[in-house]
Amino acid sequence: MNGKPGLLILTEANFRREVIEAAGPVLVVFETDWSGSYRIIAPFIEEMALRYQGRIKLGKLDVDANKRIADEYSIRTLPTLIFFKNGQIVDFLIGICPKNIIENLLGSILLRDDS
């Protein structure tokens, strides 16, 4: 059920298994296909999904198609990136962020995971 290689498509059917029950770090990008904001960051999200494959799970969740989960996490701005570790939120970014900000936070979470 992958969209792009390395990038998992999350839905209400697989969110618990792929994110909440995951043993390691997971980055979830809350977005919509029509969001111009997501299109800006999509290329480097997809690049990171390939680069960090096997170290962190990266997935995207369409908030229009998965309203229950979007409501559960109070998603109001797109894109919103939520970093989970062992099913718990450890950090988040709201709105368009530069690639280096996302990568720095991702690296920090991976270091925390390795320690």
Side-chain angles (χ1 to χ4, degrees), residues 76-94:
R76 302 291 176 256
T77 302
L78 299 176
T80 293
L81 286 68
I82 299 182
F83 297 81
F84 292 83
K85 182 177 163 193
N86 301 322
Q88 300 295 312
I89 295 173
V90 293
D91 223 323
F92 63 92
L93 295 168
I94 297 175

Side-chain angles (χ1 to χ4, degrees), residues 1-43:
M1 222 186 187
N2 282 350
K4 304 277 184 182
L7 187 62
L8 181 64
I9 303 301
L10 298 168
T11 65
E12 290 180 2
N14 69 2
F15 190 85
R16 173 165 286 289
R17 179 182 70 251
E18 298 291 351
V19 178
I20 304 304
E21 296 173 356
V26 181
L27 167 57
V28 178
V29 180
F30 291 83
E31 55 82 29
T32 61
D33 287 337
W34 54 262
S35 170
S37 299
Y38 175 69
R39 281 185 236 155
I40 292 170
I41 68 165

